Amino acid sequence: MDLNTVLEVRDAGRRGVWRPGDAWLGGGTYLFSEPQPHLRRLIDLSRTGWEPLRVTAAGDLEIAATCTIAQLSRSPKPWTAGPLFEQCCRAFLASWKIWNMATVGGNLCNGLPAGPMISLTAALDGVCLLKAQTGSVREVPVADFVVGAGVKDLQPGELLRSVTLPARALAARTAFRQASLYGLGRSGALVIGAVDPLDGTLTITVTASTVRPVQLRFPVPPNAEAVREAVEYAVRPDEYYDDIHGLPAWRRHMTFRFAEEIRRELLEEAGR
């Protein structure tokens, strides 16, 4: 879609002073998908030269905000949690053209409940690195970064530079469940479980069915009733998302169902 209110596209390396009407341009798959009448200038991140994926000395995985879904999908994943990356990449309702343009950072910054990069990075305890116009930086867990449907913890002009997944989370055993009303439709519920490789803590992360990521942690292996009570307590009735891709009652039902299936897969089938 043409954005006929945009007067200038400027390289991020020479952007100048941030002003009202500016927006960061990553892959552009959202920006160019619908009218953006409030925008006057796009700050293009495509030539920043950020390394898409980098393993740190500590074994953490740093994912640049400009890393595309295709780059993430094609990259080697030698970790126990490796299969989860492809499962979340495949949860996109997107063509191959979108895969090659859409970015991890853009998916997070859209903050939509069905954003599978939100699901992936929240479930693996990802931490967002945010850079302000003043040059100051702050870190925010992905689970706290998205606070509502399309609502993020971002200040005006603030840039999501990267998301870091800790080595400990990458070594976790995981389980993945997704539901859609259609065969290739947008996720109506997406629940991920992970078992900590050191202390055995079970973490269940609920996304897509809720307006924000919801994480439940069980230091002691829970039974079915404990998981059900935890979900009931953690998600308010008004936090189940309501749109054409699923009614709240259905999303709630699938959330409870998937949480229990994940508990059984990761704990009971493992003999715990």
Side-chain angles (χ1 to χ4, degrees):
M1 173 175 288
D2 292 335
L3 302 182
N4 55 20
T5 63
V6 172
L7 305 175
E8 181 182 4
V9 178
R10 175 167 291 202
D11 190 282
R14 58 178 189 87
R15 66 177 181 273
V17 178
W18 186 270
R19 60 196 188 203
D22 284 356
W24 299 108
L25 172 62
T29 55
Y30 165 71
L31 282 178
F32 290 99
S33 70
E34 60 183 54
Q36 310 285 347
H38 61 292
L39 296 185
R40 300 294 179 269
R41 186 170 66 162
L42 300 179
I43 313 302
D44 185 10
L45 298 168
S46 64
R47 288 186 286 181
T48 55
W50 296 338
E51 188 176 358
L53 297 155
R54 184 178 71 90
V55 178
T56 70
D60 302 338
L61 176 64
E62 181 185 79
I63 307 173
T66 51
C67 176
T68 66
I69 307 309
Q71 288 171 324
L72 184 64
S73 174
R74 290 194 301 260
S75 67
K77 305 172 189 69
W79 310 285
T80 306
L84 184 63
F85 287 75
E86 191 66 13
Q87 289 170 322
C88 289
C89 286
R90 295 289 171 183
F92 264 97
L93 175 60
S95 68
W96 65 268
K97 291 183 286 187
I98 298 296
W99 258 44
N100 281 278
M101 292 300 296
T103 62
V104 173
N107 195 246
L108 267 73
C109 288
N110 278 347
L112 300 179
M117 295 298 99
I118 298 172
S119 307
L120 170 68
T121 54
L124 295 181
D125 293 333
V127 177
C128 299
L129 178 64
L130 307 174
K131 301 185 70 172
Q133 290 296 302
T134 60
S136 63
V137 298
R138 64 188 180 106
E139 295 183 340
V140 179
V142 174
D144 298 328
F145 177 68
V146 178
V147 295
V151 184
K152 295 81 58 179
D153 181 10
L154 270 177
Q155 302 303 316
E158 201 168 29
L159 171 67
L160 171 60
R161 169 61 180 85
S162 62
V163 181
T164 298
L165 309 181
R168 184 166 173 173
L170 294 171
R173 290 187 299 109
T174 62
F176 174 93
R177 295 291 189 281
Q178 178 206 19
S180 171
L181 292 177
Y182 314 97
L184 295 174
R186 181 175 295 178
S187 297
L190 200 162
V191 183
I192 296 171
V195 175
D196 188 284
L198 298 183
D199 63 16
T201 294
L202 170 65
T203 301
I204 295 178
T205 304
V206 178
T207 54
S209 59
T210 51
V211 297
R212 61 179 179 86
V214 176
Q215 279 195 311
L216 309 170
R217 296 189 189 273
F218 303 91
V220 177
N223 58 21
E225 186 60 29
V227 168
R228 183 172 184 84
E229 287 181 358
V231 174
E232 187 81 57
Y233 178 79
V235 186
R236 300 193 311 269
D238 64 318
E239 289 186 306
Y240 285 103
Y241 198 44
D242 185 5
D243 70 353
I244 62 172
H245 299 285
L247 294 173
W250 173 73
R251 294 177 190 264
R252 179 180 182 276
H253 169 75
M254 296 308 297
T255 298
F256 281 105
R257 173 180 168 178
F258 286 163
E260 172 56 14
E261 288 182 2
I262 284 171
R263 182 194 72 83
R264 290 181 181 178
E265 178 179 336
L266 291 178
L267 298 183
E268 290 189 357
E269 293 179 9
R272 299 194 59 185

